Amino acid sequence: MTAQNEATQKIRSFNRFYTRLLGLLDRHILDSDFSMTEARVLLEISKENGTTARKLTERLKIDPSYMSRMLRGFEARSLITQTPSPTDSRSKLITSTAEGLLALERLSERSDAQVRSLTAALSPEELQSVLDAMALIRSQFSRAVFPAVIRNYQPGDEEYIIQRHRELYLNEYGLNEAFAGYVHKTVHQLTDHLDPNTECVLIAEGNGRPMGSIAIAKRDSQTAQLRYFLLEPEARGQGLGLRLIEEALSFCRQTGYKRVFLETINLLTTARSLYSRMGFQIYQTRVQSDWGREVTEEYWELIL
Amino acid sequence: MTAQNEATQKIRSFNRFYTRLLGLLDRHILDSDFSMTEARVLLEISKENGTTARKLTERLKIDPSYMSRMLRGFEARSLITQTPSPTDSRSKLITSTAEGLLALERLSERSDAQVRSLTAALSPEELQSVLDAMALIRSQFSRAVFPAVIRNYQPGDEEYIIQRHRELYLNEYGLNEAFAGYVHKTVHQLTDHLDPNTECVLIAEGNGRPMGSIAIAKRDSQTAQLRYFLLEPEARGQGLGLRLIEEALSFCRQTGYKRVFLETINLLTTARSLYSRMGFQIYQTRVQSDWGREVTEEYWELIL
DNA sequence: CATTATAGTTGACTTCGTCCAGTAATTTTA
DNA sequence: TAAAATTACTGGACGAAGTCAACTATAATG
């Protein structure tokens, strides 16, 4: 009890400390042309060109009228453009201008500089130890801060799966459009005739946004294929991937499958270690050259 | 360069994460009767009964007019009393009422509960690893956040040294008033006839407040005594103690002393390890029973 | 003793943000 | 298919937090 209490005091002390640190770091926003909230909104707009005020208010939990005024201000400063939505004439589509992106760039550059000055005096080993410490704190507290939920398929989710597979695999792993096309085709095969009793598509959601995906496709009455396992970079390292896989496998068990297999490529090291942790084993590999670079395709299976 | 850049991004990501966490934790202040700033002010008042508005505005960096209004509000809510200062009729002495202390207590209890709920799911080992991680981050970043300065003696510093020795040694180590009286007497012996060429009293200051002390007293032309080394609990673990000792020893070297000795007690483990790190060695010990409990007095010396 | 500095106060103002009521367009429902 | 309900956005009023400049009364200084 006393130990717990002492720990509580230490954590509160650290929190006060870090509040001050963050205060110092965010100081630069004070003497920029943006408030904290404006910066958040501007960033969010840049992330999704053609959003609506609605989405922004939901994601950032900002009052609609406040948002309306802020957007008008942004438009007056030529940071964004608002064009009437063709599909819903109540809304406007909001897009960053080059000027807006530049402003964000400058803001981000200044933040980077602040952090660099903070770490400048540290040796590489010390820096690494700080990063490790941050990762540890984050992983222990993430559940409280980041209450991601895993929900079932909703129409429109294929868009997300296809688009993010495309962006992540092309950028991070250097695959080509052929791969993206393959994903596009097979995702639609699954979602166009989804049998909810034997198949599922699960989406992890946090911050009012998809944070990852996984799917179970039926191969035969005994065999399921685990597909489209993806986790947003910002959501990694928080056990969310594990939850997704567990959820998917739990679905397989309920459905009565005897065997689950999956296809992956050797490059996806984090995913691979998760598969192996769940009991999956490689039963076949082959070299695949159709996707822009030579990769080793691996087939893993798990007997339930 | 890229590694540094990646580290910067990771740190900024952690900062965003922790900002959200702190936001959640501070939420309770929102539905209390106090704003963040009010809570800080109230806490500061409770720490020093009989402060003045002036001191508060300096320490907490709050606008005087804002402070004036806030204090009037507190008085209306019976959280503090303001009585005209007998020594300076421009100022008022500000004191917490029982009600004010109770309100703070409640606030603190709620903060504790929040933190406990955050750590409830952690095993003792995990909790300890979080505490270690926090300590590490803190020690690496403290210099930036906590730019304590070491300055020379100013009239009035004896008050601080005597009072804090008294409070810390009586509370933390269970010594008695005899010890406090001993400190009182010897401090005045030093400061009443301080020879700036051969003696010094150094005060570490941070947050506009003393954070620690150290002194060098002349014994003979060859020998100096290091005394009154003290560091506020909130300023510990940040290398400030080391800086104080180094500063004091550097003064001894400049002055031309050949030998520095000091008296300490076996209970002060942190200070002892600092002494040993600087090259001090124990040359004599004796049991001391005059100070409320039996302690071993140790005499350390360092040949310059 | 006149000047200057300090402690605190007051009024006007800005910024950030919330609440409520409204309009126009869209969707749902009877 | 017309009325009712919902949704996307806007505008006005307001409030909390905080800043700025001017002012009063007292104290320190040369």
Side-chain angles (χ1 to χ4, degrees):
Chain A
M1 197 56 211
T2 310
Q4 164 67 43
N5 208 36
E6 199 177 313
T8 302
Q9 294 312 316
K10 280 186 184 166
I11 290 174
R12 284 189 59 195
S13 167
F14 177 80
N15 288 351
R16 282 191 292 272
F17 168 83
Y18 219 78
T19 302
R20 291 190 52 173
L21 179 68
L22 291 170
L24 287 181
L25 293 184
D26 283 342
R27 192 61 49 88
H28 81 277
I29 282 194
L30 291 179
D31 49 54
S32 77
D33 300 333
F34 302 102
S35 77
M36 203 87 71
T37 318
E38 286 177 324
R40 284 200 304 147
V41 172
L42 214 49
L43 183 66
E44 194 65 28
I45 294 172
S46 80
K47 279 193 196 162
E48 185 189 342
N49 260 334
T51 26
T52 62
R54 180 78 217 292
K55 288 190 198 165
L56 293 172
T57 56
E58 273 190 352
R59 283 190 193 151
L60 304 174
K61 304 248 190 316
I62 291 175
D63 184 272
S65 66
Y66 185 25
M67 180 64 72
S68 172
R69 278 184 265 264
M70 206 187 304
L71 292 175
R72 193 168 54 210
F74 285 163
E75 196 171 28
R77 292 202 266 168
S78 316
L79 301 170
I80 60 166
T81 58
Q82 302 187 78
T83 54
S85 163
T87 63
D88 182 342
S89 43
R90 290 171 306 176
S91 340
K92 302 172 178 178
L93 301 185
I94 301 163
T95 319
S96 301
T97 62
E99 216 164 323
L101 293 174
L102 188 68
L104 264 179
E105 180 81 16
R106 272 197 300 263
L107 220 49
S108 162
E109 187 41 55
R110 280 214 274 171
S111 285
D112 283 359
Q114 294 250 17
V115 172
R116 275 197 300 271
S117 80
L118 200 63
T119 57
L122 304 183
S123 71
E125 295 75 32
E126 287 171 330
L127 182 58
Q128 188 55 50
S129 70
V130 167
L131 295 180
D132 292 344
M134 287 178 166
L136 189 142
I137 291 172
R138 193 165 172 159
S139 70
Q140 299 293 6
F141 287 165
S142 62
R143 226 158 260 229
V145 177
F146 195 80
V149 294
I150 294 175
R151 61 160 179 78
N152 256 304
Y153 172 77
Q154 287 171 4
D157 285 339
E158 40 297 62
E159 299 295 325
Y160 167 76
I161 297 177
I162 293 166
Q163 190 195 337
R164 292 305 287 158
H165 265 77
R166 189 167 175 282
E167 290 168 3
L168 289 172
Y169 280 74
L170 268 56
N171 292 335
E172 285 191 20
Y173 302 108
L175 302 193
N176 64 7
E177 284 295 341
F179 174 78
Y182 170 73
V183 171
H184 182 101
K185 192 183 71 189
T186 56
V187 166
H188 275 291
Q189 279 172 8
L190 177 62
T191 57
D192 288 355
H193 314 92
L194 194 71
D195 173 4
N197 294 317
T198 58
E199 299 186 314
C200 72
V201 173
L202 300 175
I203 300 290
E205 227 166 39
N207 275 333
R209 244 206 307 268
M211 283 294 157
S213 63
I214 202 165
I216 295 295
K218 177 179 182 176
R219 284 289 150 258
D220 61 50
S221 62
Q222 306 278 305
T223 313
Q225 180 177 5
L226 187 153
R227 309 194 85 166
Y228 314 123
F229 177 43
L230 179 94
L231 204 56
E232 293 294 331
E234 62 178 300
R236 288 174 194 171
Q238 295 160 43
L240 188 54
L242 192 64
R243 280 171 63 197
L244 269 175
I245 297 190
E246 278 171 347
E247 199 82 22
L249 291 182
S250 146
F251 174 84
C252 291
R253 286 196 190 86
Q254 279 169 33
T255 308
Y257 288 117
K258 298 281 173 273
R259 172 174 173 266
V260 186
F261 79 96
L262 64 87
E263 248 181 273
T264 186
I265 55 178
N266 58 333
L267 303 174
L268 308 179
T269 52
T270 321
R272 286 169 87 244
S273 69
L274 270 181
Y275 297 144
S276 131
R277 188 161 147 201
M278 300 308 297
F280 279 90
Q281 296 191 324
I282 301 183
Y283 66 93
Q284 191 186 324
T285 64
R286 75 186 183 91
V287 173
Q288 165 67 272
S289 321
D290 295 349
W291 295 339
R293 59 183 287 193
E294 193 164 282
V295 296
T296 305
E297 256 181 13
E298 300 173 349
Y299 294 80
W300 298 61
E301 69 178 346
L302 173 67
I303 307 301
L304 294 175
Chain B
M1 197 57 210
T2 312
Q4 165 67 42
N5 208 37
E6 198 177 315
T8 303
Q9 295 312 317
K10 280 186 182 166
I11 291 174
R12 285 190 57 196
S13 167
F14 177 79
N15 288 351
R16 283 191 292 274
F17 169 83
Y18 219 77
T19 302
R20 292 190 52 171
L21 179 69
L22 291 170
L24 287 181
L25 293 183
D26 284 342
R27 190 62 49 88
H28 81 278
I29 283 193
L30 291 179
D31 49 53
S32 78
D33 300 334
F34 302 102
S35 77
M36 203 88 70
T37 317
E38 286 177 324
R40 283 200 304 148
V41 171
L42 214 49
L43 182 67
E44 195 64 28
I45 294 171
S46 79
K47 278 194 197 161
E48 186 188 341
N49 259 334
T51 28
T52 61
R54 181 79 216 291
K55 288 190 199 166
L56 292 173
T57 57
E58 273 189 354
R59 283 189 194 154
L60 303 175
K61 304 249 189 313
I62 291 175
D63 184 272
S65 66
Y66 186 24
M67 180 65 72
S68 171
R69 277 183 263 264
M70 208 187 307
L71 292 175
R72 193 166 54 210
F74 286 162
E75 197 171 27
R77 291 202 266 169
S78 317
L79 300 170
I80 60 166
T81 58
Q82 301 188 80
T83 55
S85 162
T87 62
D88 182 341
S89 44
R90 291 171 306 178
S91 350
K92 302 173 176 176
L93 301 185
I94 301 164
T95 319
S96 301
T97 61
E99 216 165 324
L101 292 175
L102 188 68
L104 263 180
E105 180 82 16
R106 272 197 300 263
L107 220 48
S108 163
E109 188 40 56
R110 281 213 274 169
S111 284
D112 283 359
Q114 295 251 13
V115 171
R116 276 199 299 272
S117 79
L118 199 63
T119 57
L122 303 184
S123 72
E125 295 75 32
E126 286 172 331
L127 182 57
Q128 188 55 49
S129 70
V130 168
L131 295 179
D132 291 345
M134 287 178 168
L136 190 143
I137 291 172
R138 193 165 171 158
S139 71
Q140 299 292 7
F141 286 165
S142 62
R143 224 155 259 229
V145 178
F146 196 79
V149 295
I150 294 175
R151 60 159 179 80
N152 255 304
Y153 172 77
Q154 286 172 5
D157 284 339
E158 43 289 68
E159 300 294 328
Y160 167 76
I161 297 177
I162 293 166
Q163 190 196 337
R164 292 305 286 159
H165 266 77
R166 188 166 175 284
E167 291 169 1
L168 288 172
Y169 281 75
L170 270 57
N171 291 335
E172 284 190 20
Y173 303 109
L175 303 193
N176 64 7
E177 283 295 340
F179 174 78
Y182 170 73
V183 171
H184 182 100
K185 192 184 69 188
T186 56
V187 166
H188 275 290
Q189 279 172 7
L190 177 62
T191 57
D192 288 353
H193 313 93
L194 194 70
D195 173 4
N197 293 318
T198 58
E199 299 185 314
C200 72
V201 173
L202 300 175
I203 300 289
E205 226 166 39
N207 275 333
R209 238 203 318 263
M211 284 294 155
S213 63
I214 202 164
I216 295 296
K218 178 178 181 173
R219 284 291 149 256
D220 61 49
S221 63
Q222 306 279 303
T223 311
Q225 180 177 7
L226 188 152
R227 308 193 86 164
Y228 314 124
F229 177 44
L230 179 94
L231 204 56
E232 293 294 334
E234 62 177 301
R236 287 174 195 171
Q238 295 160 42
L240 189 53
L242 192 64
R243 280 170 64 196
L244 270 174
I245 297 190
E246 278 172 348
E247 199 81 23
L249 291 181
S250 147
F251 175 84
C252 292
R253 287 199 188 86
Q254 278 167 35
T255 308
Y257 288 117
K258 297 280 176 270
R259 172 173 173 267
V260 186
F261 78 96
L262 63 89
E263 248 181 272
T264 186
I265 55 179
N266 57 335
L267 303 175
L268 307 179
T269 51
T270 321
R272 287 167 87 246
S273 69
L274 269 182
Y275 298 144
S276 133
R277 189 161 146 200
M278 299 308 297
F280 280 91
Q281 295 190 324
I282 301 183
Y283 65 92
Q284 191 185 326
T285 64
R286 75 186 182 90
V287 172
Q288 165 69 273
S289 322
D290 296 347
W291 294 341
R293 60 182 287 193
E294 192 163 281
V295 296
T296 305
E297 256 182 12
E298 299 173 350
Y299 294 80
W300 297 62
E301 70 177 345
L302 172 68
I303 308 302
L304 294 176

